């Protein structure tokens, strides 16, 4: 389970990879949060283009990072989600939070 | 009772590494019905939710066995039963409501909602102190081959 994290002009980009389930979500959460808390970005981009599978544990991951970035006064963007992942995200109604899902 | 054309049983301990093993194993078994990739990923997602619930909720503080049974029928129906002998659910109707969770801020409370929308039929039977059985049914379109 990989997450490649990079920073540019206050924007933190997390390129997620592999499969996101409960087993993998814990480590991802820790590495994203510890980076974000150190660098205090004003924008967080979660890039799902290399993610082959996600279940509702991924929703927990997205929601938690949404809360974190809001606390920092920033924005969250979700990009690169496959049709399967988009369907899971749709069920959570994340669009209603004003969250960009592209 | 209709007879299945094929059947498999799988028992794994409730270790989180088995979440991916279980969904991939069921998907591999179901593949013989020649499902589309979308149908297959629907099944993987629903199985992943049910197995994760056994691990996270049913056997919260222990390791127990997860019993998986998959049956395939002539008309393309797939029936997957996922059973634990863990803590059980006191109020199944409440547990199945979208966003309801007893699992804290990491859980979304959407597992049953995902199972419901990614399958054709979801049945949940549970007895507190005895365990939980989730039955997922999905119909695979039989495509004709020449
Ligand atoms: N196998 C199970 N054993 C005991 N409780 C369960 C089980 N499956 C689900 N539950 C209960 O139902 C609730 C909702 O489950 P679900 O919709 O998957 O959301 P989540 O897993 O995110 O909490 C859980 O929080 C838990 O209280
Ligand atoms: Mg769940």
């Amino acid at each position: 389970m990989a997450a490649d994290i990079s920073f540019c002009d206050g924007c933190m980009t997390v390129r997620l990879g592999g499969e996101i389930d409960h087993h993998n979500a814990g480590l991802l959460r820790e590495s994203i949060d510890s980076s974000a808390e150190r660098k205090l970005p004003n924008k967080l981009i979660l890039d799902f283009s290399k993610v082959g599978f996600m279940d509702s544990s991924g929703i927990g991951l997205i929601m938690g990072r949404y809360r974190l970035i809001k606390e920092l006064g920033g924005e969250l963007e979700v990009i690169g989600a496959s049709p399967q992942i988009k369907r899971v995200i749709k069920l959570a109604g994340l669009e209603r939070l004003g969250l960009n899902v592209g | 009772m209709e007879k299945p054309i094929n059947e498999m049983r799988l028992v794994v301990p409730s270790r989180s590494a088995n979440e991916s093993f279980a969904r991939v194993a069921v998907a591999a078994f179901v593949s013989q019905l020649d499902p589309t990739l979308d149908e297959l990923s629907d099944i993987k997602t629903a199985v992943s939710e049910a197995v994760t619930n056994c691990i996270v909720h049913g056997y919260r503080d222990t390791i127990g066995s997860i019993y998986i049974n998959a049956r395939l029928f002539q008309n393309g129906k797939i029936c997957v039963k996922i059973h634990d002998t863990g803590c059980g659910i006191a109020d199944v109707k409440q547990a199945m409501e979208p966003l309801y969770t007893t699992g804290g801020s990491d859980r979304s409370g959407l597992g049953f909602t995902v199972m419901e929308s990614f399958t054709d039929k979801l049945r949940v039977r549970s007895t507190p102190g005895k365990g939980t059985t989730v039955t997922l049914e999905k119909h695979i379109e039989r495509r004709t081959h020449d």
Side-chain angles (χ1 to χ4, degrees):
Chain A
M1 180 81 247
D4 170 20
I5 299 178
S6 60
F7 291 88
C8 182
D9 291 334
C11 174
M12 172 174 168
T13 303
V14 183
R15 285 183 193 81
L16 300 155
E19 310 209 317
I20 301 182
D21 58 11
H22 155 258
H23 179 70
N24 290 324
L27 270 181
L28 283 176
R29 186 179 63 238
E30 279 167 31
S31 64
I32 295 169
D33 288 6
S34 69
S35 284
E37 278 156 10
R38 255 184 301 121
K39 301 269 195 151
L40 307 175
N42 51 41
K43 183 167 188 173
L44 173 61
I45 300 178
L46 297 177
D47 182 349
F48 282 81
S49 26
K50 295 269 157 55
V51 178
F53 174 87
M54 184 183 97
D55 66 17
S56 74
S57 301
I59 296 297
L61 184 78
I62 296 172
M63 292 293 289
R65 284 353 89 207
Y66 176 78
R67 285 192 290 267
L68 176 73
I69 195 71
K70 283 285 159 192
E71 268 169 39
L72 298 176
E75 294 294 321
L76 175 65
E77 200 176 320
V78 171
I79 62 171
S82 70
Q84 185 259 342
I85 293 174
K86 274 200 181 135
R87 275 183 67 201
V88 177
I89 291 177
K90 274 234 163 65
L91 286 176
L94 294 181
E95 295 93 340
R96 273 185 286 120
L97 298 175
L99 180 68
N100 256 327
V101 181
Chain B
M1 258 315 252
E2 203 185 343
K3 265 179 80 173
I5 52 171
N6 204 353
E7 176 165 15
M8 78 100 167
R9 283 170 204 281
L10 188 65
V11 183
V12 292
S14 59
R15 303 197 180 279
S16 61
N18 285 324
E19 291 159 9
S20 66
F21 173 68
R23 64 176 178 259
V24 169
V26 171
F29 180 69
V30 158
S31 290
Q32 60 196 278
L33 286 183
D34 197 21
T36 63
L37 284 179
D38 281 350
E39 289 167 334
L40 211 50
S41 82
D42 287 358
I43 290 161
K44 270 169 102 170
T45 312
V47 168
S48 191
E49 297 294 350
V51 170
T52 301
N53 280 352
C54 302
I55 294 167
V56 175
H57 306 297
Y59 299 120
R60 189 180 354 228
D61 305 311
T62 55
I63 296 290
S65 294
I66 303 173
Y67 303 85
I68 299 167
N69 166 241
R71 286 175 301 155
L72 311 181
F73 295 88
Q74 187 61 49
N75 62 0
K77 190 175 86 179
I78 297 167
C79 186
V80 186
K81 226 179 245 179
I82 293 139
H83 171 68
D84 68 66
T85 56
C87 66
I89 304 171
D91 185 343
V92 171
K93 194 161 166 271
Q94 179 186 45
M96 291 177 77
E97 274 165 21
L99 305 178
Y100 177 85
T101 181
T102 55
S105 68
D106 293 338
R107 312 291 325 150
S108 62
L110 289 169
F112 282 127
T113 308
V114 167
M115 287 182 247
E116 221 155 23
S117 72
F118 282 49
T119 61
D120 296 323
K121 199 164 163 191
L122 165 67
R123 240 181 354 248
V124 183
R125 285 205 341 251
S126 191
T127 311
K130 285 241 162 76
T132 302
T133 304
V134 167
T135 309
L136 306 164
E137 264 182 39
K138 191 165 178 76
H139 198 89
I140 298 298
E141 287 302 320
R142 298 317 304 265
R143 284 170 289 165
T144 44
H145 301 271
D146 1 74

